[in-house]
Amino acid sequence: MKKASPGLFTLVVAVLFYTTSVTAATLPRHQAIPGGVAVIPLGDLEQTKPAVTYLEKQVMVRANNRRWEAVVGIPLSAKAGIHRIKVDNRQREFSKEFRVVDKDYETTHITITNQRMVSPTKKDIERHYREKKQIVAAIHSWSEREHVDMAFITPVEGRFSSPFGLKRIYNNQDRIRRHTGLDIAAPVGTPILAPASGTVIRTGDYFFTGNTVFIDHGRGLVTMYCHLDKIDVEDGQHINQSQQLGEVGMTGRVSGPHLHWAVFLNQFKVDPKLFMSQLDN
Ligand SMILES: [Zn+2]
């Protein structure tokens, strides 16, 4: 039998590495950019599980590859450069550095004809501030879960119509607003499935986001589903991966039917794509 050439060997190793590289244990992907996620090794599992904070916020720590690691959500407003997490391993406190690199997110111009959505009335704003308290409370949710499922499936079958981080200019106004979720366009009534297991922490009908569902996946990982036509789950309900949450709609501030899907990690909005193993869109 002919011996495999070193070239073939390298190829086989490369293929094996590639196919195993995007498994559950490697999600989310490490991408230390504004709106990204930093996965930071902390030490071996024989040591006590450390407690970690970043910008004063409690950070997820998980056991992975026989070590502890911090899974850190980075805000979209983060500046490129050295950032620090604070680590408390129960014996001493120290800080650990990681580098955030900049990302050049795209810019787009959007025209909205519904004036009330562009310039909401005083009453709309008052409503929004009332609702914002509930929304913020949901985002701040923290539950200690034994296993946090971070390998997401795509919640809706459809085209990714607007990426996370996009800079949007509405009706040629000066202000740039950031798109802080991933939009998936689909007809009204298309099922929305839970990307991973969790608990429904809030459902509601809000001025900007319409019919909305929040899921707490554990340890500071929260996902949000907006503009639903119909909600099929209740507050407090445990849900499994692929379970139906509701249907795509166009409630709230929208120009067409789609799901606006947002992912929060230690309270910061991060790119949902970093949690997905299949990126076929
Ligand atoms: Zn959106």
Side-chain angles (χ1 to χ4, degrees):
M1 208 174 79
K2 228 181 113 187
K3 256 186 160 180
S5 70
L8 180 66
F9 178 73
T10 312
L11 179 71
V12 170
V13 169
V15 167
L16 280 175
F17 177 76
Y18 181 73
T19 50
T20 55
S21 64
V22 183
T23 59
T26 59
L27 290 169
R29 265 177 282 276
H30 170 87
Q31 219 176 85
I33 55 170
V37 174
V39 180
I40 304 170
L42 296 174
D44 66 71
L45 291 182
E46 267 111 79
Q47 294 163 357
T48 322
K49 183 180 180 180
V52 173
T53 55
Y54 171 57
L55 302 174
E56 316 275 295
K57 300 190 190 322
Q58 188 175 4
V59 162
M60 181 191 298
V61 175
R62 70 171 177 184
N64 191 25
N65 291 329
R66 295 190 292 275
R67 67 183 189 195
W68 294 116
E69 60 188 21
V71 186
V72 186
I74 304 165
L76 254 178
S77 58
K79 297 266 180 291
I82 297 295
H83 285 235
R84 285 173 188 84
I85 52 170
K86 279 188 192 154
V87 184
D88 179 356
N89 68 4
R90 318 294 169 187
Q91 281 159 355
R92 65 187 186 99
E93 279 180 51
F94 55 98
S95 67
K96 218 170 149 69
E97 294 183 344
F98 65 102
R99 181 175 290 278
V100 172
V101 293
D102 214 0
K103 174 166 171 160
D104 198 9
Y105 287 103
E106 273 175 65
T107 304
T108 187
H109 291 261
I110 292 177
T111 305
I112 292 183
T113 46
N114 183 344
Q115 267 310 315
R116 229 176 124 198
M117 288 297 179
V118 184
S119 312
T121 64
K122 194 166 167 263
K123 229 175 151 187
D124 293 335
I125 304 258
E126 281 166 9
R127 176 183 165 191
H128 171 62
Y129 278 112
R130 275 197 308 277
E131 294 171 351
K132 207 176 166 185
K133 282 184 197 148
Q134 295 183 12
I135 293 167
V136 167
I139 294 163
H140 285 208
S141 161
W142 181 281
S143 61
E144 276 305 331
R145 197 176 281 263
E146 190 57 41
H147 172 75
V148 182
D149 191 2
M150 288 193 277
F152 287 176
I153 59 159
T154 314
V156 169
E157 254 183 64
R159 185 174 59 88
F160 291 179
S161 51
S162 188
F164 172 89
L166 189 70
K167 293 169 182 161
R168 287 172 160 179
I169 300 170
Y170 286 94
N171 297 3
N172 287 321
Q173 292 172 345
D174 293 334
R175 222 174 110 210
I176 294 177
R177 278 179 275 203
R178 302 302 291 267
H179 186 233
T180 54
L182 170 65
D183 284 356
I184 307 174
V188 172
T190 306
I192 299 168
L193 311 180
S197 63
T199 305
V200 177
I201 37 170
R202 183 165 285 280
T203 59
D205 173 15
Y206 302 123
F207 176 71
F208 283 105
T209 61
N211 288 324
T212 303
V213 174
F214 287 93
I215 300 177
D216 178 356
H217 300 277
R219 289 190 236 148
L221 179 63
V222 173
T223 55
M224 179 192 196
Y225 307 80
C226 306
H227 314 305
L228 275 61
D229 190 58
K230 189 170 149 267
I231 294 175
D232 292 327
V233 289
E234 288 173 1
D235 293 14
Q237 188 181 338
H238 174 81
I239 39 124
N240 296 314
Q241 188 177 51
S242 312
Q243 194 170 331
Q244 185 161 329
L245 304 176
E247 292 172 5
V248 170
M250 45 187 306
T251 55
R253 182 203 178 100
V254 282
S255 51
H258 73 278
L259 171 70
H260 172 92
W261 178 31
V263 174
F264 299 84
L265 184 60
N266 48 265
Q267 301 173 24
F268 297 129
K269 294 158 180 160
V270 295
D271 191 347
K273 277 188 162 183
L274 297 175
F275 294 78
M276 293 157 77
S277 51
Q278 279 181 312
L279 288 173
D280 43 11
N281 240 287

